[in-house]
Amino acid sequence: MRLVFAGTPEPAVPSLRRLIESERHEVAAVVTRPDAVAGRGRKVTRSPIGRLADEHGIPVFTPRKPSEPEFVEQLTELAPDCCPVVAYGALLPENVLGIPRHGWINLHFSLLPAWRGAAPVQAAILAGDEITGASTFVIEKGLDTGPVFGTMTEKVRVTDTAGILLDRLAESGAQLLESTLDGVEAGALQAIPQSPDGISYAPKVESDSAHIRWDQPALAISRRIRSVTPAPGAWTEIDGKRLKLGPVELVEESLPESTIDIRKSGVFIGTATTAVRLVEVQPQGKRMMPALDWARGARLEPGTVIG
């Protein structure tokens, strides 16, 4: 099929690469979000999908909004059979949805109808889901409500961060997306409406949601930290300054809530249940470092309260 691929961040790269290498499909163009400033140097940067398309000489469209008349005209002229989508990052208007004859097929990183929305992987980890996965479905006007072509499952490991789990889903999901497009081209797949049961939502994770409260149970704290790693990154406060947190380890002993205990074996913090051990932290303006190195350098007094 003649495809126009829409995507923006790194998790979309495995899917685009797989479709570029496919012998059954032609990627005629790519749609991605406009170049944006990124990194410490605040340089204007091409999206990962835009860079991959450039490497292969594929035309790249970067409309600020997909409703722009110029983009609608360009897409109409390309006359794609189908538009696969992976984490594009913008809502598609109805007049654009109707251009490809097989519609826009989205790869979403959850088992729909669970975790519709912008942050399904983060939500699955925070909720303590043991199994998650990916789904391919037809994009329609509603938020991730379209009929589903196929799914694949993935076990959530106890050490998974959102970044690690998303990397795995991006690779296995790319295979699901290609298989879906193969089936659509062959006329062998029919999309099935989503169940009205089990619907849940995963809104975008903001920095405030990554603020760790030590009056919660240790397991809940661990899940929240892993769910926002690497972005936006979990944080707490000490002496009025932010301290970014890497994933923590659960321990069996108890400490007073929010109190830091520094030992040769590590840095421990009390929670509403048992304590947690900090592994890595990032003070303001510095790089990630071992928590024990930070605590010794900060010369914390015994019984210091964090947060």
Side-chain angles (χ1 to χ4, degrees):
M1 286 194 295
R2 182 174 170 83
L3 308 176
V4 172
F5 183 94
T8 299
E10 196 65 40
V13 167
S15 289
L16 177 57
R17 181 178 293 116
R18 195 173 184 101
L19 294 177
I20 290 172
E21 295 171 354
S22 170
E23 296 181 356
R24 299 186 62 170
H25 307 292
E26 172 204 358
V27 180
V30 158
V31 186
T32 190
R33 300 297 293 149
D35 298 354
V37 293
R40 291 190 175 184
R42 308 303 291 166
K43 294 181 179 179
V44 177
T45 306
R46 190 75 137 170
S47 75
I49 284 298
R51 291 197 300 270
L52 180 59
D54 290 340
E55 291 171 8
H56 290 270
I58 299 172
V60 178
F61 300 117
T62 58
R64 294 193 177 279
K65 292 184 178 180
S67 58
E68 291 177 1
E70 182 181 1
F71 171 68
V72 175
E73 183 179 344
Q74 290 168 331
L75 188 63
T76 302
E77 289 178 356
L78 282 169
D81 296 311
C82 186
C83 293
V85 185
V86 185
Y88 170 45
L91 294 176
L92 299 164
E94 288 188 72
N95 63 325
V96 169
L97 291 177
I99 292 174
R101 63 190 183 96
H102 289 299
W104 296 67
I105 296 179
N106 191 35
L107 171 65
H108 183 76
F109 298 117
S110 81
L111 297 174
L112 291 171
W115 304 129
R116 295 173 177 173
V121 175
Q122 294 90 329
I125 291 177
L126 182 61
D129 292 353
E130 296 182 357
I131 299 292
T132 186
S135 308
T136 49
F137 71 96
V138 179
I139 295 180
E140 55 182 29
K141 188 175 180 180
L143 177 64
D144 301 334
T145 57
V148 173
F149 280 111
T151 61
M152 50 76 54
T153 59
E154 180 74 36
K155 184 176 180 181
V156 182
R157 302 167 188 169
V158 294
T159 56
D160 275 341
T161 63
I164 291 171
L165 179 55
L166 186 54
D167 284 346
R168 292 206 309 275
L169 289 171
E171 293 292 341
S172 51
Q175 182 176 353
L176 171 64
L177 179 60
E178 182 184 26
S179 298
T180 298
L181 295 174
D182 290 349
V184 169
E185 180 187 37
L189 276 183
Q190 182 175 355
I192 299 174
Q194 294 183 35
S195 170
D197 301 320
I199 297 172
S200 53
Y201 293 94
K204 181 180 178 181
V205 179
E206 304 291 350
S207 180
D208 287 349
S209 300
H211 184 195
I212 299 305
R213 291 176 46 189
W214 303 102
D215 60 352
Q216 295 184 335
L219 182 58
I221 289 171
S222 175
R223 286 174 178 169
R224 181 167 295 277
I225 292 173
R226 289 188 294 110
S227 75
V228 296
T229 300
W235 59 278
T236 188
E237 287 184 325
I238 186 164
D239 295 332
K241 296 182 179 179
R242 280 198 181 193
L243 182 70
K244 195 170 181 178
L245 306 169
V248 297
E249 294 178 355
L250 303 179
V251 297
E252 293 299 323
E253 62 185 284
S254 296
L255 287 172
E257 193 176 287
S258 305
T259 301
I260 298 178
D261 187 14
I262 304 167
R263 312 172 197 166
K264 289 183 179 180
S265 57
V267 180
F268 302 83
I269 300 179
T271 76
T273 53
T274 52
V276 298
R277 177 179 175 270
L278 300 186
V279 179
E280 288 188 317
V281 300
Q282 183 178 1
Q284 272 186 216
K286 297 185 179 180
R287 298 181 180 274
M288 272 284 182
M289 63 178 67
L292 197 53
D293 291 350
W294 160 75
R296 287 169 175 164
R299 298 181 180 179
L300 301 178
E301 295 292 332
T304 296
V305 173
I306 197 168

